[in-house]
Amino acid sequence: SYEGKRLMRARTCSIVILLLISLLGCAGGKPGLNVAVEPLPQYDALFTGEDGWTGADGAYSVALNRGKIAWFFGDTWVGQIKNGRHVNAVLVNNSVAIQHGRRPQDARINFYLGRDADGSHAALIKPADGRGWFWLFDGVLTAKGLYLFLIQVERTAGNDAFDFRVVGNWLAYVENPADLPSAWRVRQTPVPWSKFAAAGSILWGSAVLQIDNVLYIYGTTEDTGGTHPEKNMILARVPASELGDFSRWQFYADGRWVPDFRKVRRLGVNIPHEYSVSYLPALKQFAAVYSRDGLSKHILARLSPEPQGPWSEPIRLYQCPEAEWDRSNFCYAAKAHAILSQSPDELIITYIANSVDFDKAANDARLYRPRFLRVRFTE
């Protein structure tokens, strides 16, 4: 009948429209947005030494005074590289680098590690309570000094690359950031607004964004009770001069800022522990950059007109080629470094390529160090 054909046509049109919307959401999220990506080998070269510090993951950056940039890393290779392999090498749990100069062709970089009592290499920052180790997350330089978020981790009973668990969340205060990192005086304070339980967790310091005199502290909440654990973005704010006063923190919950962290609400689905939030002046948008599902060859971004969202559907930025080198390889820890941007339409992004096979990672020094990309956004 005529009505039947009209109804079928309407349904067909609806399906086509929904498919187009779905394709836009997967491929770009924001209609009319152009994304251009290029590798930055001149930045990669800063982190390709063959003696001493030879690779690490994490890679958060914080602007210091006098044109210096501090880099914060998780597990770090220390030793030598010969014929493309790590030799005479050990892994320590964290390290710091200081970059002098922002242009890679002119910049120089120095790496800093800790020492054990016997003189062997060790993590630069160790837990004061002696439990597990720290991975270094985001931070910020304030008028009072340098603050840095620390994730406390310990080994579990298994024997593979992912047999560890997060057991603590700390805020480190460095009162003398102008000195060499090896001479830093670091005070560690547990973040009271974190939680680690069998049913789920809350941690802070995934990203720190300063807007005028306010710091926005991003974190994640993770539900581990279901079949597929899911991480989501959460947000707090505090006056920039009062970061260390936890009583001044407020938490974003359903359009309001509240003092109770238990009321914090999820702002983005499937956001991993490591990500960044930066402002893109050319778009007048905030950009959250991350690796899809935490471990993935896909680097994604979401855009928002406000630091708290609402966030767009994911925008595909890049597919890491290292994941195709070997079936055991994977990529993760994608994030942007606004301090490195040279124009209002670009973000400089790092990510890490690794292998679940430790021997393959040790025998391929191309892995396990920051790789740099320039991403330009135009409408």
Side-chain angles (χ1 to χ4, degrees):
S1 68
Y2 171 78
E3 286 299 324
K5 291 180 180 178
R6 189 167 66 86
L7 180 59
M8 184 177 294
R9 177 186 290 179
R11 287 177 176 172
T12 302
C13 290
S14 297
I15 291 170
V16 171
I17 291 170
L18 288 172
L19 283 171
L20 287 171
I21 292 172
S22 176
L23 287 170
L24 282 170
C26 292
K30 183 178 171 59
L33 180 67
N34 297 316
V35 179
V37 184
E38 61 176 322
L40 293 176
Q42 63 269 43
Y43 273 109
D44 293 351
L46 286 175
F47 297 87
T48 55
E50 296 190 343
D51 190 21
W53 188 103
T54 56
D57 66 359
Y60 279 95
S61 61
V62 173
L64 301 179
N65 293 327
R66 295 188 293 276
K68 296 189 296 184
I69 298 171
W71 290 89
F72 301 104
F73 300 102
D75 288 338
T76 301
W77 279 108
V78 188
Q80 296 175 310
I81 293 176
K82 293 184 178 180
N83 299 319
R85 302 173 54 192
H86 292 278
V87 298
N88 303 319
V90 297
L91 276 170
V92 301
N93 293 126
N94 60 65
S95 61
V96 172
I98 301 297
Q99 177 181 333
H100 303 265
R102 296 189 181 183
R103 298 196 313 163
Q105 59 268 36
D106 304 324
R108 59 183 176 86
I109 194 163
N110 302 106
F111 298 94
Y112 299 88
L113 303 151
R115 293 280 185 177
D116 281 333
D118 61 1
S120 59
H121 292 294
L124 184 68
I125 304 176
K126 297 181 179 181
D129 64 4
R131 183 181 182 184
W133 65 88
F134 283 143
W135 287 332
L136 311 184
F137 267 38
D138 208 0
V140 63
L141 182 69
T142 74
K144 292 184 177 180
L146 173 65
Y147 287 89
L148 177 66
F149 284 91
L150 311 172
I151 307 303
Q152 189 174 19
V153 186
E154 68 178 8
R155 181 67 61 189
T156 54
N159 196 32
D160 65 32
F162 302 105
D163 286 324
F164 57 83
R165 62 182 177 184
V166 179
V167 295
N169 191 186
W170 299 69
L171 180 65
Y173 169 62
V174 181
E175 66 179 58
N176 58 328
D179 294 340
L180 298 179
S182 53
W184 279 354
R185 296 186 295 274
V186 182
R187 186 173 72 229
Q188 304 170 15
T189 305
V191 179
W193 317 130
S194 56
K195 182 182 74 171
F196 304 95
S201 64
I202 294 175
L203 66 81
W204 301 96
S206 299
V208 180
L209 174 68
Q210 183 164 357
I211 303 176
D212 298 325
N213 294 318
V214 177
L215 294 176
Y216 291 84
I217 313 300
Y218 292 85
T220 54
T221 178
E222 181 176 15
D223 298 324
T224 57
T227 306
H228 302 288
E230 186 178 271
K231 300 180 182 71
N232 300 278
M233 175 192 288
I234 53 176
L235 179 61
R237 72 178 184 184
V238 64
S241 60
E242 303 297 338
L243 176 56
D245 183 353
F246 294 111
S247 68
R248 300 294 304 275
W249 284 39
Q250 295 179 316
F251 306 90
Y252 193 73
D254 299 325
R256 299 180 301 120
W257 293 96
V258 300
D260 188 350
F261 85 102
R262 292 167 297 186
K263 295 181 179 179
V264 71
R265 290 295 179 262
R266 304 166 184 172
L267 303 181
V269 178
N270 291 329
I271 304 291
H273 286 323
E274 289 190 59
Y275 61 94
S276 63
V277 179
S278 313
Y279 184 65
L280 271 168
L283 299 183
K284 296 184 172 61
Q285 298 272 313
F286 295 88
V289 174
Y290 59 98
S291 297
R292 188 178 73 183
D293 299 325
L295 304 175
S296 171
K297 62 184 178 182
H298 299 287
I299 298 177
L300 306 178
R302 293 175 185 247
L303 300 178
S304 168
E306 301 291 341
Q308 67 271 17
W311 295 95
S312 72
E313 290 299 311
I315 302 166
R316 286 191 307 226
L317 300 181
Y318 189 71
Q319 183 170 304
C320 309
E322 297 84 357
E324 309 301 329
W325 294 352
D326 189 276
R327 293 181 62 184
S328 69
N329 288 359
F330 62 95
C331 298
Y332 62 109
K335 58 182 70 72
H337 305 271
I339 188 62
L340 300 180
S341 296
Q342 299 294 315
S343 64
D345 65 347
E346 77 171 20
L347 288 177
I348 305 301
I349 290 173
T350 58
Y351 67 94
I352 307 296
N354 200 352
S355 174
V356 296
D357 186 325
F358 181 82
D359 289 335
K360 289 182 179 179
N363 291 323
D364 189 348
R366 298 174 300 170
L367 302 175
Y368 213 72
R369 57 179 176 81
R371 290 187 173 273
F372 287 76
L373 305 169
R374 174 183 283 116
V375 182
R376 283 197 166 96
F377 300 83
T378 57
E379 292 189 282

